[in-house]
């Protein structure tokens, strides 16, 4: 579990104390439960059906200027999927990575099974497979150079063993950039997360899903709608706020984003919020003026709260492939990126972008999106990802 979402407890909750009367009542309740379960099945009193307490607003309830299609997508994405054991979660991750597995792992298996020795022809075919899976030229060359060195040292001769070498090389790229998420959290005051990215990558949806994680861990969350250029963006964030029972700080369309952020952090400090998540406008990384606005927001945060933003989370659409790496580099030059969220991995065969981003940027991946359900935004785990990709539980 990502360190941000570890359950918060007060001192009283960590060391609960009970009065003698409460202990006696709890003991009696345990005895009743034991007796009930020991009765024959026909004599047991059936359990009362659980009562649904969570109210899910209908898509049509929003008064914001969202299109009907956008509203339906939000409603579908915010519907929780049924809980399942850890093994089922792993299987679902493996299934959602099927397109990348087909373009990378299955093609490698086919190649290796048809070869009896490692030769130049095999390396040429392997190079094509790796580039097609969007590992990029430089990452592919490093992987193949490492494999060639092992072949020359006679450490590697069986083509079937080459798959294991490639797997561990990919794992090393990912783990080298990994940094504990807890390190960015402040010792006191609200934890401020600034979310950036271009239009259409799923920033606001990602914010809604992260908010749900924080709420489940017992933390209070304040959302700040700093995307004041689109009224629909504010309305979409408010819908996620309603579904997660999180307050949203917003102003009129066209308001100064920095002013909205300043007011949001001011409120978070005054009302003792645990987490502040700031939604920024989706800006093209090639537009200088818009990127300068991000710098301004970043400066204003630091002036109002020392150390803020504690996390600058860049959301990337995995389907864009190598273009996502270019986006990350330019955003990182504008505001130092501390974490990445890769969305839509379930809809692309270019999952190799995960290793490329880690190798080239040295920025940890915090989340991967593998579906539309609210719990399909997974805390990223390098070992889990690699094992799911290569079909090993």
């Amino acid at each position: 579990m990502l360190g941000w979402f570890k359950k918060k407890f007060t001192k009283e909750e960590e060391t609960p104390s009970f009065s003698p009367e409460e202990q006696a009542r709890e003991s009696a309740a345990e005895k009743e439960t034991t007796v009930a379960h020991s009765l024959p099945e026909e004599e047991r009193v059936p359990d009362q059906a659980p009562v649904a307490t969570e109210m899910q607003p209908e898509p049509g309830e929003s008064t914001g200027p969202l299109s009907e299609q956008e509203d339906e997508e939000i409603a579908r994405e915010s519907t929780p999927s049924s809980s399942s054991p850890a093994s089922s979660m792993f299987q679902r991750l493996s299934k959602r990575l099927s397109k990348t597995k087909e373009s990378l792992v299955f093609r490698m298996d086919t190649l290796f099974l048809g070869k009896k020795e490692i030769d130049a022809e095999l390396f040429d075919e392997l190079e094509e497979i790796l580039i097609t899976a969007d590992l990029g030229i430089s990452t592919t060359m490093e992987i193949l150079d490492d494999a060639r060195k092992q072949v020359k040292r006679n450490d590697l001769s069986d083509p079937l063993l080459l798959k294991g070498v490639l797997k561990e090389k990919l794992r090393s790229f990912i783990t080298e950039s990994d940094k504990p998420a807890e390190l960015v959290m402040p010792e006191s005051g609200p934890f401020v997360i600034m979310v950036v990215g271009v239009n259409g990558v799923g920033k606001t949806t990602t914010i809604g899903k992260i908010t749900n994680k924080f709420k489940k861990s017992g933390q209070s969350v304040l959302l700040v709608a700093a995307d004041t250029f689109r009224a629909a963006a504010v309305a979409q964030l408010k819908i996620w706020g309603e579904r997660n029972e999180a307050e949203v700080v917003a102003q009129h369309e066209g308001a100064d984003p920095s002013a909205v952020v300043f007011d949001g952090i001011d409120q978070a400090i005054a009302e003792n919020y645990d987490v502040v998540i700031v939604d920024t406008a989706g800006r093209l990384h090639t537009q200088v003026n818009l990127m300068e606005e991000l710098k301004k927001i970043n400066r204003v945060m630091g002036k109002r709260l020392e150390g803020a933003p504690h996390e600058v989370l860049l959301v990337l659409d995995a389907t864009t492939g190598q273009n996502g790496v270019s986006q990350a580099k330019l955003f990182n030059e504008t505001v130092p990126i501390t974490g990445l969220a890769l969305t839509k991995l379930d809809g692309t065969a270019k999952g190799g972008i995960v290793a490329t981003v880690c190798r080239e940027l040295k920025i940890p991946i915090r989340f991967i999106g593998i579906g539309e359900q609210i719990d399909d935004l997974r805390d990223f785990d390098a070992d889990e990802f690699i094992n799911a990709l290569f079909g090993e539980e």
Side-chain angles (χ1 to χ4, degrees), residues 179 184 309-314 332 335-340 363-364 366:
K179 300 173 186 175
V184 300
H310 307 104
E311 172 88 355
V312 179
L313 184 70
L314 174 63
N332 197 38
V335 285
I337 304 299
T338 57
L340 300 170
I363 299 173
R366 304 294 192 202

Side-chain angles (χ1 to χ4, degrees), residues 285-296:
H285 52 288
T286 54
Q287 295 186 5
V288 177
N289 292 339
L290 293 178
M291 298 300 276
E292 286 298 320
E293 184 65 41
L294 279 184
K295 291 182 181 179
K296 181 181 177 182

Side-chain angles (χ1 to χ4, degrees), residues 20-167:
E21 292 81 4
E22 289 174 326
Q23 291 177 352
R25 284 198 299 270
E26 186 172 340
S27 177
E30 289 177 355
K31 289 180 180 180
E32 289 178 5
T33 302
T34 303
V35 171
H37 284 283
S38 65
L39 290 173
E41 187 173 349
E42 61 272 12
E43 295 182 23
R44 295 182 192 173
V45 179
D47 294 333
Q48 185 177 357
V51 179
T53 57
E54 184 178 355
M55 296 295 290
Q56 293 289 343
E58 295 296 324
E61 289 182 3
S62 171
T63 57
L66 283 174
S67 69
E68 191 172 323
Q69 181 181 359
E70 287 176 318
D71 213 7
E72 288 176 354
E73 287 176 356
I74 295 170
R76 183 175 66 253
E77 289 167 347
S78 62
T79 304
S81 61
S82 58
S83 58
S84 56
S87 60
S88 297
M89 294 291 284
F90 178 88
Q91 290 168 2
R92 186 166 66 181
L93 173 61
S94 182
K95 182 178 179 181
R96 298 296 173 84
L97 294 175
S98 60
K99 291 187 177 180
T100 298
K101 291 172 73 172
E102 289 174 5
S103 69
L104 178 61
V105 181
F106 294 166
R107 289 180 65 193
M108 282 198 302
D109 287 341
T110 302
L111 173 63
F112 297 152
L113 286 173
K115 299 286 184 178
K116 294 184 178 180
E117 62 179 2
I118 299 176
D119 53 20
E121 182 182 353
L122 183 145
F123 275 117
D124 288 342
E125 293 184 50
L126 184 57
E127 178 181 337
E128 179 184 346
I129 292 173
L130 296 177
I131 292 177
T132 304
D134 227 53
L135 282 162
I137 299 294
S138 59
T139 302
T140 297
M141 290 300 102
E142 183 175 340
I143 291 173
L144 295 181
D145 287 346
D146 185 70
R148 287 189 179 100
K149 288 177 183 177
Q150 293 194 45
V151 171
K152 288 181 180 179
R153 294 195 305 262
N154 294 322
D155 294 336
L156 189 64
S157 58
D158 186 349
L160 292 177
L161 297 178
L162 186 55
K163 178 181 176 181
V165 172
L166 298 175
K167 173 185 173 182

